[in-house]
């Protein structure tokens, strides 16, 4: 029987199976197989670990022999010997389980250092302090993880030396001090373990290997495996790799490089390096690295080798590579390669160019760009250089992406007036309300002290495609004195600030902002996405501007037109208020008659822009009190304007007040109390369609009744809509093929979808309200505690950003099943915030919805996400 | 072949099958078979109607012959002839389909009246006006439903006579005027139909029979059958019955009687009658009827006959009978009998006594009392006599039953103070909030201008067993001037009013109020209910008073102890506020330490009262802002008391403000942010149980975590509870078998119950919140529109009173299924408002829950309802 193989060298790894490897070692092994220069290593198998446990923590003599043999082989290859006083071999020892187990021993670096070899390192690097510091770190690391000396014993020893020398920072310790630390550390080990720190590197190695095997069953590892349900691992492997140094003089160096530019995507070798330095020096930023191309002048051979390697790696991995290398005394070693992280712009460019180069196929190109990465491409951005020297005032939530510069104003009216005067403004509010909409539209960006990612300000801003930072809780806003205070700094009305809606940053003064470039690569990628996706993408829009914007992004219709926003414009809000304050049906009808031409005009415009595409019009949804003023001075002004006593207005405001407006008198419930509202809206929709048809323009209105929980509610609304539509078409003598839809957003509507489907022809999910009611979380209030839920791992994701598939998703699935039981052939849609989130789109794709609808600027993201889902499911 | 039988006399009915009969005719036929005197009638079969249709609206000559023969038989039996000028026979003609079809011809009365017979009636009754009025009504009714003369033609003719005589009301027309009306009516018929009104009674009868058959297929009847899905009816039958008159002189009379007293249940013949009168006279109240026993003196034979009849009928139907009778010239006729309606008290007494008499069995006795009827027995009531002369101020919603007299106060503090001074008060508020609880407890009753049957005031009042009228929308309350205005009438602080919480009435002044008597019959009925029910009944209680009260009603434990109410008492609210205003964990812990002894004391008391019975303690549920004052003066007072600046308090109030508190930071979410609250509550529960165990008293606490939507939320809470419970038990050295439960009240919790069941040992449904979130209806706001929903038939029942089985019920069923998938053996409970509603209890019984929990005063209702469900399912 041949002896079992306990130890493998890296060159034997190929084909051994990934369960033995980490990705990092797998990549290194693959590079080895490509003939690239990697510091040698060998691996002791997981099976050895298993045997170690089954044999009372010993392993067979054959294993020890094989370790020794491989160590000698390593020494031979590297031309160094472990513990040699002249040019010693140093190694790293790492655990190497198939699954990463944090809390287990990870790495011991510089194993092999001892009182002799440290001297050689000092001489060779010309940096004794570096050598001594490495040594004391080695003792501490080894003592801690291998010998299990309490961590704080070392800290205490270190502090003692620092106190004695009167210094505060580790970096202030000079060579002599570090020598003293090493002495004291050894004493600590002696005191704690009753044995001296091993000076013999072979003993160090044996101890380290045993410790790695032993760590497999320490408390933390057991707990971690249990928590993460990791079972059936044989054990851990141990990797022993020779160390290389970039700080061994002027023919040594270290660097990081990319096969293409990760910021722009340009197909040009990119990176930086430092001669006579360690990786840490690059990171620390004490010395300024040189760009990678200058390496050609310094060490042309190494440079050429590197170029050859990066090209082969890119060809091999079919993706842009991020590599680390070290040059030790003129010899190049690759330490790592991986697919490189990149900006959105770079991702698009690289994907499209690699496709053109034949390096990847179309599907791969589509999948190479994460949908969310497109976001940064679609909005203005603060110039990166400008940011570095700017004064950061505070950081809020990145509520709506883009950048904005403007003068601070504190209310919607001022925003409107200043904008009329040609000034650019940032609207700063405690929080926004529907009354602020015109002011928000007049602003460059919005900053609020309260509210989360899905607060009113955030939702409206995203849908307007406007930059917004919300929930900047360090800000205190005083609307009366028109000042805002951030950490003691006071800003006045008119002061200029800059918002970064993609990061939540708020800067003092005006920073340079750059426009997005929707290059040819972007268009190409979108074209590919459209080729592969099956889900249609509509937009949420209720103004001609948004509709036109969405059309440029190829939206396939309007999935949600929120008619209430049409009531807020200055010329309409008065009629709306008249309607609300009217004493009877006749009074309401008179007021509604004034609104009718506006609504009709709006619907006419939207359907005209989207000729032939469907336009889903949701009937009035918010509670009526949202349309009335609440501040005393506004009530007085309205009283004067409408010739109605302020008292009466106040009474009405009071009567309409609701404790939980989210669960109040809104949606289809409004039309049940005031059928005349639905009558007016039906007339407006159908008239607009008739007039377009008269002009031979194809109009496809879909009337959508919101907040339906009961079939009987929908039936009541249907009677109104059908009757008025019939009357209106008769008046025009024109037939319009309108649709009668509903929205499933109340949990009851979801669980009784089979019944509701008897009345509605189709429905669209309102996943925002469904999430609010299904989870019992008010969008406007939950921001405060959802943050904590995320921090405390109660939530993995914010359910207002990614649909809660296990909960709300079950309601959605039930609704789909119920609906199909009644109408087997029909497909369904979804609108609202979740409409653009890639993970949510994936869910909607999997359950077979027909379309999703999202705000105009999210349409491209949704298109790409839909393509991903089609390709990955 | 024998001739087909088209017509049956009443005596031939027995065994003909119920599909030919209405219940009324069935009862009459049954009385005939018992040999009781009923005015004779005969019936033309539904089959005749079918033939009528199949033969071009004619029927065979045999049918005509049989009708004539039965008519002659009827005339013979009654000793009168149709159309006779001397003692004429008059008949009623009615359609008689098996299913009631409103909109079809129902009844033509007094058929047989003509110009001759009317004279005899006038003479015989000595009331010519009555005779003439009967005649003109007959022409109008016959003309309308048989001859199809437009109704308004008659109205116009009548109005003409009224105008001519200058009178406004029909009753102001004298005999001459009525004669003129008859003439004009005949002219109307002549003009409309081109034929004169039939003076021949046999023609009248033929026309009426044809009209009844014909009406089977009029538009309204077809529509009605379609809407109600009534199919397969052969046609309609026609009943022809002789009329009898109680106003034919001093040996005639009419009356209504009950076999037992329907108000008290006393087993004594009860009723009233009027001599020489028609049924209408009794109803009109112009003459005062005599009690039935005096009939013995007036007409002893009739009285004896009636007594024999009522006794036989009760024996026959095994229930208390409600009968109508007429005496015509010394001869008694029974016109109707049916099971009599009765008060709750009567229902209980009759059921228990009939059981003792052997008239009914135990199960029937239990089913004889509607659970809701018990309500009136359990509360104080306004003396009926006192009500008749009282000044009714307004009517609100009957929010919590009972009666209350007291002086009006306008805030909780005054209620408290006045009560301390020994005054009885009624707390009048626009609406109540949790801060008012002490004031509510100090009041006799509560009156609010706003809020529905499930508003805060209503819920708290019911649970306190206190009378409450809510949503009295005609009231305007001015808390500053301490006045309330109702339809112009102003009441001041200190004025006395009386509330009837069972009807919603509000009276001026103090009315006499009587106490409930929970007699032996009540106890007996409850005992029977307990024998048959399988569902356990617990109570919602959080004070020793309520707990003791519920125990007297045999509650089987506490199903819901709302701990937040324990924080509102004056001595605790300050510590609670200190906790909320604290800057850090330590500050909060210091404040909580002050509350701990109170909570522990409360739990100790409750568990001691219910020794050995389970006590479910729900941890803090409402959002924290409910504990802070909002009015400026209260903030100032708090500021002074706590040495904290008013500004800081205001800031905290502001920061805690929520747009939709129902969906806000409450329930288990509180403990996630402030684990120290759950720690304190756990310590209080477990300490209390330990101390009881030390005294050898069995304590069975069940800790219930509210508002759980995610397993992860519950896990977080479980860690806290398990840890602190362990620590506390260790401190006492005593083991307590506490349970760890949750509440399913968030829709997500219902659909993911399978997951949540992995952590919780048991759960109780919170159907109130589940309804709010499942339907998207805020309890505090929905009152306004639910009323409209009921009026417009969008809802059949208020979903906050009876569980919405088709919607919320589906979520409940899903939760039960999910739970059982994880824990197959466990049964579940329900608490909250629906806990006492009989229809909801029936649902909970059917889906196999273990218990329901309701407010103390609803426990008997729930016990009886549970028995009904067990017997009927």
């Amino acid at each position: 029987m041949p002896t079992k193989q306990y130890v493998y060298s890296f060159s034997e790894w190929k084909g051994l199976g990934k369960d033995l490897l980490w990705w990092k070692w797998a990549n290194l092994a693959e590079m080895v197989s490509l003939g690239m220069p990697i510091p040698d290593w060998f691996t002791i198998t997981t099976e050895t670990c298993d045997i170690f446990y089954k044999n009372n923590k010993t392993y067979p003599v054959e294993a020890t022999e094989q370790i020794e043999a491989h160590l000698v082989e390593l020494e031979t290859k590297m031309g160094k010997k472990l513990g040699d006083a002249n040019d010693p071999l140093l190694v790293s020892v790492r655990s190497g389980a198939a699954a990463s187990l944090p809390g287990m021993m990870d790495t011991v670096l510089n194993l092999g250092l001892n009182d002799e070899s440290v001297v050689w390192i000092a001489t060779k690097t010309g940096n004794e302090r570096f050598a001594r510091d490495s040594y004391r770190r080695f003792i501490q690391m080894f003592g801690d993880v291998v010998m299990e000396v309490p961590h704080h014993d070392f800290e205490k020893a270190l502090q003692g030396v620092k106190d004695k020398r009167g210094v505060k920072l580790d970096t202030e310790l000079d060579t002599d001090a570090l020598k003293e630390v090493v002495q004291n550390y050894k004493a600590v080990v002696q005191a704690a373990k009753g044995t001296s720190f091993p000076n013999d590197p072979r003993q160090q190695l044996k101890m380290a290997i045993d410790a790695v095997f032993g760590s497999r069953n320490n408390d933390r590892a057991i707990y971690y495996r249990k928590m993460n349900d990791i079972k059936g691992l044989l054990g851990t492997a141990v990797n022993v790799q020779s160390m290389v140094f970039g700080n061994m003089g002027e023919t040594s160096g270290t660097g990081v490089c990319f096969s293409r530019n990760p910021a722009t995507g340009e197909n040009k070798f990119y990176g930086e390096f430092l001669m006579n330095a360690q990786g840490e020096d690059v990171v620390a930023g004490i010395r300024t690295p040189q760009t990678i191309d200058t390496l050609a002048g310094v060490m042309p051979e190494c440079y050429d080798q590197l170029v050859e390697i990066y090209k082969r790696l890119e060809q091999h991995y079919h993706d842009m590579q991020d590599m680390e290398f070290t040059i030790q005394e003129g010899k190049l070693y690759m330490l790592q390669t991986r697919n490189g992280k990149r900006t959105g712009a770079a991702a698009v460019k690289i994907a499209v160019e690699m496709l053109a180069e034949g390096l990847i196929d179309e599907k791969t190109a589509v999948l190479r760009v994460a949908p969310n990465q497109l976001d940064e491409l679609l909005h203005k951005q603060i110039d990166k250089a400008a940011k570095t020297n700017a004064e950061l005032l505070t950081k809020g939530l990145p509520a709506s992406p883009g950048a904005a510069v403007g003068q601070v104003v504190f209310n919607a009216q001022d925003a409107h007036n200043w904008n009329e005067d040609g000034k650019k403004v940032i609207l700063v509010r405690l929080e926004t309300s529907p009354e602020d909409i015109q002011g928000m539209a007049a602003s460059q960006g919005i900053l609020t002290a309260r509210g989360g990612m899905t607060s009113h300000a955030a939702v409206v801003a995203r849908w307007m495609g406007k930059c917004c930072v919300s929930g900047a809780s360090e800000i205190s806003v005083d609307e009366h004195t028109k000042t805002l205070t951030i950490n003691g700094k006071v800003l006045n009305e008119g002061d200029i600030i800059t918002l970064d809606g993609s990061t939540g940053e708020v800067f003092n003064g005006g920073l340079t902002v750059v426009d997005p470039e929707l290059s040819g690569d972007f268009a190409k990628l979108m074209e590919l996405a459209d080729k592969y996706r099956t889900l249609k993408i509509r937009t949420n829009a209720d103004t001609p501007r948004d509709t036109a914007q969405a059309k440029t992004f190829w939206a396939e219709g309007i999935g949600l037109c929120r008619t209430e926003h049409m009531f807020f414009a200055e010329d309409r809000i008065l009629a709306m208020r008249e309607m609300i304050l009217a004493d009877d049906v006749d009074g309401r009808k008179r007021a509604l008659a004034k609104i009718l031409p506006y609504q009709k005009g709006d619907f006419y415009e939207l359907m005209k822009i989207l000729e032939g595409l469907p336009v889903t019009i949701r009937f009035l949804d918010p509670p009526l009190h949202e349309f009335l003023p609440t501040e005393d001075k506004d009530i007085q002004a309205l009283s004067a304007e409408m010739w109605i006593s302020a008292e009466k207005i106040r009474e009405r405001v009071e009567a309409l007040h609701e404790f939980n407006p989210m669960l109040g008198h809104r949606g289809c419930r409004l039309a049940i109390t005031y059928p005349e509202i639905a009558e007016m809206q039906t007339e407006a929709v159908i008239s607009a369609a008739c007039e377009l048809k008269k002009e031979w323009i194809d109009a496809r209105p879909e009337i959508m009744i919101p907040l339906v929980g009961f079939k009987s509610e929908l039936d009541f609304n249907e009677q109104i809509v059908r009757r008025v539509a019939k009357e209106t078409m008769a008046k025009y003598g024109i037939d319009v093929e309108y649709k009668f839809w509903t929205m499933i957003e109340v949990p009851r509507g979801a669980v009784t979808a089979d019944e509701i489907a008897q009345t509605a022809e189709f429905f669209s999910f309102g996943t925002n309200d469904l999430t609010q009611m299904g989870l019992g979380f008010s969008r406007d209030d939950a921001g405060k505690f959802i943050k904590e839920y995320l921090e405390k791992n109660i939530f993995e994701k914010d359910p207002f950003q990614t649909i809660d598939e296990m909960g709300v998703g079950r309601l959605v699935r039930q609704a789909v099943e119920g609906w199909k039981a009644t109408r087997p052939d029909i497909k369904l849609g979804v609108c609202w915030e979740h409409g653009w989130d890639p993970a949510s789109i994936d869910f909607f794709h999997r359950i077979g919805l027909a379309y999703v609808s999202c705000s105009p600027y999210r349409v491209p993201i949704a298109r790409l996400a839909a393509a991903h889902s089609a390709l990955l499911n």
Side-chain angles (χ1 to χ4, degrees), chain A:
Chain A
M1 202 176 75
T3 310
K4 186 184 276 293
Q5 188 165 358
Y6 296 98
V7 185
Y8 289 83
S9 73
F10 56 84
S11 54
E12 297 170 307
W13 271 38
K14 197 155 190 173
L16 276 187
K18 284 250 168 178
D19 58 333
L20 290 170
L21 308 178
W22 282 353
W23 66 264
K24 178 172 172 173
W25 298 97
N27 274 5
L28 286 181
E30 220 159 329
M31 286 163 82
V32 169
S33 73
L34 292 170
M36 293 173 186
I38 316 291
D40 286 9
W41 82 95
F42 61 86
T43 301
I44 308 158
T45 66
T46 51
E47 208 182 352
T48 316
C49 181
D50 195 42
I51 292 166
F52 179 78
Y53 273 95
K54 288 178 177 153
N55 290 280
N56 200 23
K57 304 210 175 176
T58 60
Y59 33 77
V61 64
E62 291 86 355
T64 311
E65 285 167 7
Q66 289 181 19
I67 293 169
E68 177 60 23
H70 275 85
L71 180 60
V72 170
E73 193 186 329
L74 190 64
E75 288 175 330
T76 311
K77 279 191 197 154
M78 300 302 292
K80 298 160 190 272
K81 276 189 186 323
L82 206 59
D84 200 346
N86 189 18
D87 202 3
L89 175 69
L90 300 186
V91 297
S92 66
V93 178
R94 291 181 165 92
S95 67
S100 170
L101 299 180
M104 289 179 64
M105 187 184 92
D106 193 11
T107 303
V108 175
L109 295 177
N110 291 328
L111 187 138
L113 270 181
N114 59 15
D115 294 345
E116 294 77 43
S117 58
V118 69
V119 175
W120 189 89
I121 298 282
T123 314
K124 191 71 188 174
T125 60
N127 187 343
E128 184 167 3
R129 193 190 176 282
F130 162 77
R132 295 289 167 189
D133 195 42
S134 299
Y135 191 27
R136 77 103 186 160
R137 283 173 194 276
F138 167 62
I139 296 173
Q140 185 169 352
M141 194 183 277
F142 190 95
D144 182 7
V145 302
V146 177
M147 300 185 78
E148 296 178 333
V149 175
H151 188 71
H152 69 266
D153 287 1
F154 290 114
E155 291 301 324
K156 224 168 109 190
L158 183 64
Q159 194 60 43
V161 176
K162 276 152 80 176
D163 289 350
K164 195 167 133 193
R165 312 242 162 179
V167 304
K168 286 195 169 168
L169 302 175
D170 292 5
T171 49
E172 293 173 287
L173 294 170
D174 61 16
T175 305
D176 281 347
L178 289 167
K179 281 185 180 168
E180 190 179 342
V181 172
V182 166
Q183 283 318 112
N184 293 358
Y185 274 8
K186 287 186 173 176
V188 162
V189 171
Q190 182 72 44
K193 309 304 290 184
T195 167
S196 60
F197 187 83
N199 199 52
D200 173 11
R202 275 188 156 63
Q203 192 191 347
Q204 290 172 0
L205 182 61
K206 179 170 178 2
M207 285 171 77
I209 292 169
D210 287 2
V212 172
F213 284 158
S215 69
R216 178 181 181 260
N217 274 359
N218 67 21
D219 285 353
R220 281 173 305 170
I222 290 169
Y223 180 80
Y224 187 87
R225 282 197 298 265
K226 189 180 159 198
M227 283 299 99
N228 293 278
D229 204 23
I230 296 172
K231 284 173 195 155
L233 290 183
L234 263 182
T236 182
V238 179
N239 291 301
V240 180
Q241 186 177 32
S242 66
M243 301 277 304
V244 291
F245 296 88
N247 56 346
M248 291 230 176
E250 289 312 314
T251 59
S252 297
T254 190
V256 173
C257 56
F258 296 83
S259 63
R260 302 188 187 214
N261 187 318
T264 66
E266 192 186 7
N267 186 0
K268 197 183 151 197
F269 193 33
Y270 178 92
E272 47 191 30
F273 73 98
L274 270 174
M275 292 311 286
N276 196 14
Q278 279 214 317
E280 288 162 25
D281 298 326
V282 181
V283 178
I286 300 165
R287 290 163 55 193
T288 305
Q290 296 172 264
T291 57
I292 197 73
D293 54 325
T294 58
L295 185 64
V298 181
M299 304 200 77
E301 274 178 36
C302 284
Y303 180 76
D304 291 346
Q305 196 184 355
L306 200 53
V307 167
E308 199 207 315
I309 285 172
Y310 95 73
K311 288 188 174 166
R312 285 194 62 192
L313 283 175
E314 205 183 76
Q315 288 289 332
H316 183 77
Y317 288 109
H318 305 285
D319 201 356
M320 186 265 274
Q321 294 300 299
D322 166 0
M323 299 150 287
E324 289 175 22
F325 66 88
T326 284
I327 300 169
Q328 181 176 297
E329 301 187 304
K331 181 162 166 44
L332 175 74
Y333 292 97
M334 298 304 294
L335 299 181
Q336 181 162 299
T337 191
R338 56 183 168 189
N339 296 338
K341 293 208 187 319
R342 63 208 78 177
T343 65
V348 172
K349 192 177 183 66
I350 291 171
V352 172
E353 290 190 356
M354 282 192 171
L355 172 64
E357 292 160 21
L359 210 54
I360 54 176
D361 63 12
E362 286 184 353
K363 293 179 182 181
T364 308
V366 169
L367 291 171
R368 268 300 154 72
V369 184
N372 282 336
Q373 283 190 299
L374 294 183
D375 205 21
E376 61 191 74
L377 272 71
L378 302 169
H379 298 274
K380 292 185 177 190
Q381 281 180 271
I382 298 177
D383 184 62
K384 289 234 165 67
K387 255 191 185 183
T388 44
N389 298 313
E391 181 191 349
L392 180 67
L393 291 172
T394 187
K395 209 170 163 183
L397 299 170
S400 181
V405 180
Q407 291 178 277
V408 169
V409 294
F410 291 91
N411 64 58
Q413 193 58 49
D414 287 349
H416 180 78
N417 296 345
W418 288 43
N419 183 52
E420 295 276 294
D421 295 347
K423 294 175 184 161
K424 298 196 165 183
V425 300
I426 304 280
L427 178 61
V428 180
R429 303 281 290 158
L430 204 56
E431 61 219 336
T432 63
S433 71
E435 287 181 61
D436 293 327
I437 287 196
Q438 268 201 304
M440 292 171 77
S443 306
Q444 302 300 308
I446 298 104
L447 170 62
T448 69
R450 285 217 203 118
M453 293 291 291
T454 51
S455 63
H456 178 266
V459 171
V460 173
R462 279 199 292 274
W463 139 77
M464 285 182 174
K466 227 168 249 289
C467 164
C468 174
V469 173
S470 70
S473 52
E474 290 178 338
I475 293 185
S476 105
V477 177
D478 189 329
E479 293 173 9
H480 297 290
T481 61
K482 298 194 175 175
T483 55
L484 73 87
T485 313
I486 311 177
N487 296 322
K489 185 179 183 81
V490 178
L491 293 183
N492 296 301
E493 188 184 35
D495 286 353
I496 292 178
I497 61 171
T498 302
L499 305 182
D500 188 333
S502 309
T503 62
E505 290 163 314
V506 181
F507 295 98
N508 200 10
L511 273 56
T512 312
V513 162
V514 291
D515 276 326
E517 273 184 67
L518 301 182
S519 66
D521 289 337
F522 176 81
K524 175 71 189 169
L525 183 76
M526 284 293 103
E527 194 183 293
L528 287 176
D530 290 351
K531 183 170 171 185
Y532 290 101
R533 75 185 156 94
T534 55
L535 210 52
K536 297 228 180 259
I537 311 297
R538 295 198 192 178
T539 191
N540 304 342
D542 48 57
T543 64
R545 199 197 64 168
D546 282 347
T547 309
Q549 177 66 63
K551 205 182 172 189
T552 68
F553 289 140
W554 285 84
E556 294 162 302
I558 287 179
L560 178 64
C561 168
R562 280 169 274 214
T563 57
E564 55 269 24
H565 292 127
M566 300 172 170
F567 292 106
F568 278 107
E570 210 175 342
D571 41 1
R572 304 158 187 204
I573 186 81
L574 208 64
M576 188 64 186
R577 287 171 171 173
E578 187 187 323
M579 195 276 290
I580 297 168
L581 294 168
D583 288 318
D584 53 21
V585 182
D586 287 342
R588 282 194 293 275
K589 285 192 172 173
R590 273 195 302 278
L592 287 164
K594 295 180 190 168
I595 302 173
L596 175 65
Y598 291 118
Q599 286 246 311
K600 185 171 132 184
D602 288 335
F603 298 143
Y604 176 93
E605 285 299 327
L606 302 191
M607 289 192 285
K608 190 169 184 174
I609 293 169
L610 293 178
E611 180 178 358
L613 292 174
V615 174
T616 306
I617 293 156
R618 183 182 70 181
F619 275 14
L620 192 66
D621 185 57
L624 296 184
H625 53 75
E626 283 199 7
F627 298 93
L628 292 183
T630 52
E631 298 281 317
D632 219 53
K633 71 171 183 359
D634 300 331
I635 290 177
Q636 295 291 354
L638 183 62
S639 165
E641 199 164 358
M642 293 192 60
W643 292 71
I644 292 176
S645 77
E647 198 181 343
K648 187 177 165 179
I649 298 174
R650 236 175 262 118
E651 265 174 25
R652 193 79 183 120
V653 168
E654 183 81 347
L656 288 174
H657 169 263
E658 293 183 318
F659 296 97
N660 297 288
M662 172 59 46
L663 309 176
H665 194 213
R666 50 177 286 242
C668 70
R669 301 163 194 175
L670 290 172
I672 288 169
T673 309
Y674 308 114
E676 50 277 7
I677 299 178
E679 286 170 1
M680 182 281 284
Q681 292 205 290
T682 306
E683 189 178 344
V685 171
I686 303 297
S687 303
C690 285
E691 303 215 339
L692 284 164
K693 284 224 158 179
K694 274 207 304 200
E695 301 169 30
W696 301 99
I697 294 171
D698 187 14
R700 291 178 51 197
E702 299 167 336
I703 289 173
M704 184 157 72
I705 307 297
L707 214 74
V708 168
F710 293 80
K711 176 179 179 291
S712 53
E713 291 175 322
L714 193 62
D715 290 343
F716 190 96
N717 277 269
E718 189 194 22
Q719 282 176 23
I720 299 168
V721 171
R722 298 278 185 212
R723 174 175 53 75
V724 176
K726 204 170 154 186
E727 287 164 8
T728 308
M729 291 190 285
K731 211 174 67 187
Y732 278 91
I734 288 176
D735 244 22
V736 174
E737 280 177 44
Y738 73 98
K739 298 252 172 69
F740 182 77
W741 288 13
T742 189
M743 240 173 134
I744 295 293
E745 48 191 339
V746 175
R748 193 192 192 277
V751 297
T752 63
D754 51 343
E755 288 171 16
I756 290 170
Q758 292 165 18
T759 301
E761 300 172 57
F762 188 102
F763 75 72
S764 173
F765 285 102
T767 50
N768 196 358
D769 271 17
L770 194 58
T771 299
Q772 294 196 77
M773 295 178 200
L775 271 52
F777 282 8
S778 159
R779 191 187 72 185
D780 293 322
D781 303 310
K784 294 176 201 164
F785 58 85
I786 283 187
K787 213 171 135 188
E788 262 186 290
Y789 268 49
L790 292 166
E791 280 164 11
K792 294 186 174 170
N793 287 320
I794 289 171
F795 282 174
E796 273 177 49
K797 287 178 179 177
D798 181 341
F800 288 109
Q801 298 201 19
T802 296
I803 192 165
D804 157 39
E805 188 172 338
M806 291 308 296
V808 174
R810 287 197 192 181
L811 289 171
V812 168
R813 281 180 195 274
Q814 276 179 40
V816 171
E817 281 163 24
W819 196 268
K820 289 194 171 168
T822 303
R823 297 181 181 252
D825 304 327
I826 213 142
K827 287 195 164 189
L828 304 164
V830 69
C831 48
W832 219 260
E833 287 296 303
H834 288 132
W836 66 271
D837 169 68
S840 306
I841 283 182
D842 193 55
F843 173 68
F844 299 134
H845 174 88
R846 278 184 277 119
I847 62 170
L849 297 197
Y851 73 83
V852 302
S853 185
C854 57
S855 56
Y857 281 90
R858 305 289 182 169
V859 169
I861 299 174
R863 284 162 70 196
L864 184 55
H868 278 215
S869 297
L871 291 173
L872 294 174
N873 284 294

